[in-house]
């Protein structure tokens, strides 16, 4: 998810798409790219702790970055967006897809 110049506009559009395409509560798949070095992967995983999330990681060929896929049941589009914002605010260098 590449945030445009206006994050509020981006998240408003995402919320509308989520409302139109799923019945809530629903499973949602988050995808993040984080630097492999440091505790970045653990930081992302901690945000989804105690939610029953299924988390998969895959390192890039050179090992510089790690893809983190998180499948978790979310109650509504607002909860989905809250988690994106929490990850963006707490984990430096994360890229949301």
């Amino acid at each position: 998810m590449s945030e445009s110049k206006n994050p509020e506009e981006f998240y408003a559009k995402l919320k509308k798409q989520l409302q139109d395409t799923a019945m809530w509560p629903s499973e949602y798949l988050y995808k993040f790219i984080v630097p492999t070095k440091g505790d970045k992967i653990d930081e992302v995983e901690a945000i989804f702790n105690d939610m029953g999330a299924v988390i998969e990681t895959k390192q890039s060929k050179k090992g510089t970055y790690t893809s983190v896929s998180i499948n978790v049941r979310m109650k509504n589009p607002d909860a989905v967006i809250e988690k994106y914002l929490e990850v963006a605010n707490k984990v430096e260098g994360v890229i949301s897809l």
Side-chain angles (χ1 to χ4, degrees):
M1 165 187 5
S2 58
E3 291 182 34
S4 59
K5 293 173 185 158
N6 186 346
E8 292 84 18
E9 185 179 303
F10 173 82
Y11 285 118
K13 184 177 176 183
L14 175 62
K15 180 178 177 178
K16 174 91 172 91
Q17 288 174 333
L18 292 172
Q19 289 170 330
D20 293 346
T21 59
M23 297 291 293
W24 298 94
S26 182
E27 293 289 320
Y28 187 79
L29 179 63
Y30 290 91
K31 289 194 171 233
F32 302 103
I33 305 292
V34 295
T36 301
K37 284 188 176 181
D39 297 331
K40 304 300 181 193
I41 298 166
D42 292 338
E43 290 175 23
V44 172
E45 290 179 356
I47 291 170
F48 292 90
N49 226 4
D50 301 324
M51 293 182 67
V54 177
I55 301 173
E56 295 180 13
T57 60
K58 183 179 180 185
Q59 235 178 57
S60 64
K61 280 187 179 181
K62 294 183 182 179
T64 309
Y65 294 97
T66 298
S67 163
V68 181
S69 299
I70 302 166
N71 197 350
V72 63
R73 190 162 185 80
M74 300 301 289
K75 63 181 178 179
N76 58 40
D78 289 325
V80 170
I81 292 168
E82 283 175 26
K83 284 296 180 186
Y84 273 123
L85 292 171
E86 185 177 351
V87 170
N89 290 328
K90 290 185 176 179
V91 184
E92 188 179 334
V94 69
I95 300 169
S96 302
L97 303 175

